[in-house]
Amino acid sequence: MTIAPNIAAPDNQECIPVKQPFNFGRWFRATGWRHLVGAVMVVFSAFPLLYVLSASLHPGGTLITANGLFSEVDLGSYVTLFNLPQQPYAAWYGNTLLIGGITSAGTVFLGALAAYSFSRMRFTGRRAGLLMLVLVQMFPQLLAVVAIFLLLNGISDIFPAIGLDTQIGLIMVYLGGALGVNTYLMYGFFNTIPASIDEAAKLDGAGHARIFFTIILRLVAPILAVVGLLSFVGTTNEFVIASIVLITPEKQTLAVGLYQFVSQEFSSNYSVFAAGAVLAALPVMALFLWLQKYIVGGLTAGSVK
């Protein structure tokens, strides 16, 4: 009897994958539509910025002549911006940074104190106080413009330093109007910090002040950065209240001062206005880039409660 030899297949044979043909429809349904939406949003967001930048570099002075993006490039508008004695742009810039910085720092500090009290302490009227903070913010400050003007005008007769046409008075108005939402946002973030940390510190003899300044503030840094950024942006862009409180041109902010370049019918200069707007956006952009790592975490965690 003849036995056939065993013929074994080689073990080192590699499997060559078969390349599938590209299917555009399948790719678009899976991930392609995301790229399309992203491209549309980039164009939608970037075009106004490019248009303002192009208008600031165009020597025409009107928006019609600046329709061609970067058709002409001239820095004359930036030079003119700082050489107008009737419109002291440098003073407006400094006033905006001063008022915005003090307001944002004060908002963060006062809001953190209030949020810590509502989160860690139990007292009569605590729940009603939180509810009132939310209800008050349903009515914008714009509705109280007349009341704010009359109040500051009356204060000017007694304490001129904090009355009408003073930057301190404007800062106090901003601080009073920004505590509601910011306090409630901080309150939600403070509740995410375990209370056991406070109890451990109290066992070591620490009081509320020591716990707040040495422990809690370090743990809630993301929400402090978010509130500070939102307060600075809101103060920089605010126009109505600043326009009725600050009367002297040297004390006004950028939002109020830049309006003068386009408010006059026969002397409107949109090129200079655009140049001022571009420079006004630099501090906000720099602060945003510096605090961007805290923004997403602070907003999402603060809105949980």
Side-chain angles (χ1 to χ4, degrees):
M1 183 175 60
T2 305
I3 300 175
N6 294 330
I7 302 176
D11 296 335
N12 58 351
Q13 183 177 0
E14 296 181 359
C15 296
I16 301 176
V18 179
K19 186 176 181 180
Q20 298 293 335
F22 177 74
N23 191 325
F24 178 80
R26 183 183 304 171
W27 171 84
F28 185 82
R29 289 191 300 269
T31 60
W33 64 271
R34 297 186 178 91
H35 298 278
L36 179 61
V37 173
V40 172
M41 295 305 297
V42 168
V43 173
F44 181 79
S45 303
F47 179 76
L49 303 178
L50 294 176
Y51 189 83
V52 172
L53 181 61
S54 175
S56 68
L57 297 174
H58 199 282
T62 61
L63 294 180
I64 298 178
T65 58
N67 285 336
L69 293 181
F70 302 102
S71 58
E72 296 185 35
V73 177
D74 185 13
L75 298 177
S77 298
Y78 291 90
V79 177
T80 305
L81 193 63
F82 293 93
N83 293 326
L84 298 175
Q86 294 82 8
Q87 288 89 17
Y89 183 82
W92 297 341
Y93 208 95
N95 295 337
T96 302
L97 295 180
L98 178 64
I99 295 174
I102 296 177
T103 301
S104 59
T107 300
V108 169
F109 181 70
L110 296 178
L113 288 175
Y116 178 79
S117 301
F118 282 115
S119 177
R120 291 298 193 264
M121 301 178 184
R122 298 296 180 265
F123 50 89
T124 304
R126 170 179 168 272
R127 189 174 298 274
L130 286 172
L131 182 61
M132 288 299 298
L133 286 176
V134 179
L135 292 179
V136 169
Q137 296 305 308
M138 294 176 61
F139 305 95
Q141 283 185 319
L142 184 62
L143 298 178
V145 168
V146 177
I148 292 173
F149 176 81
L150 295 177
L151 180 62
L152 292 179
N153 190 28
I155 293 176
S156 300
D157 299 333
I158 304 174
F159 301 104
I162 59 175
L164 196 64
D165 198 22
T166 61
Q167 297 177 354
I168 299 179
L170 181 62
I171 292 173
M172 295 180 66
V173 172
Y174 285 155
L175 289 178
L179 289 179
V181 173
N182 294 329
T183 299
Y184 200 81
L185 185 64
M186 289 185 180
Y187 166 75
F189 197 99
F190 274 64
N191 287 339
T192 62
I193 305 300
S196 58
I197 298 177
D198 300 27
E199 297 173 357
K202 291 179 181 178
L203 292 177
D204 293 336
H208 283 293
R210 188 175 183 84
I211 294 173
F212 176 76
F213 287 104
T214 61
I215 300 176
I216 300 299
L217 286 184
R218 299 181 180 180
L219 298 177
V220 298
I223 195 62
L224 299 182
V226 170
V227 171
L229 176 63
L230 296 179
S231 178
F232 185 82
V233 173
T235 303
T236 304
N237 297 332
E238 204 281 320
F239 173 80
V240 177
I241 297 179
S243 63
I244 67 168
V245 174
L246 301 177
I247 302 174
T248 306
E250 289 75 15
K251 297 181 180 180
Q252 292 176 344
T253 59
L254 282 173
V256 180
L258 286 176
Y259 180 69
Q260 299 180 14
F261 292 114
V262 294
S263 60
Q264 301 175 5
E265 184 176 358
F266 298 103
S267 60
S268 298
N269 195 328
Y270 286 93
S271 180
V272 178
F273 174 82
V278 170
L279 294 181
L282 295 180
V284 177
M285 182 177 63
L287 185 62
F288 179 83
L289 294 176
W290 184 44
L291 300 177
Q292 64 176 343
K293 61 180 179 181
Y294 299 110
I295 293 176
V296 176
L299 286 175
T300 55
S303 60
V304 172
K305 297 295 181 180

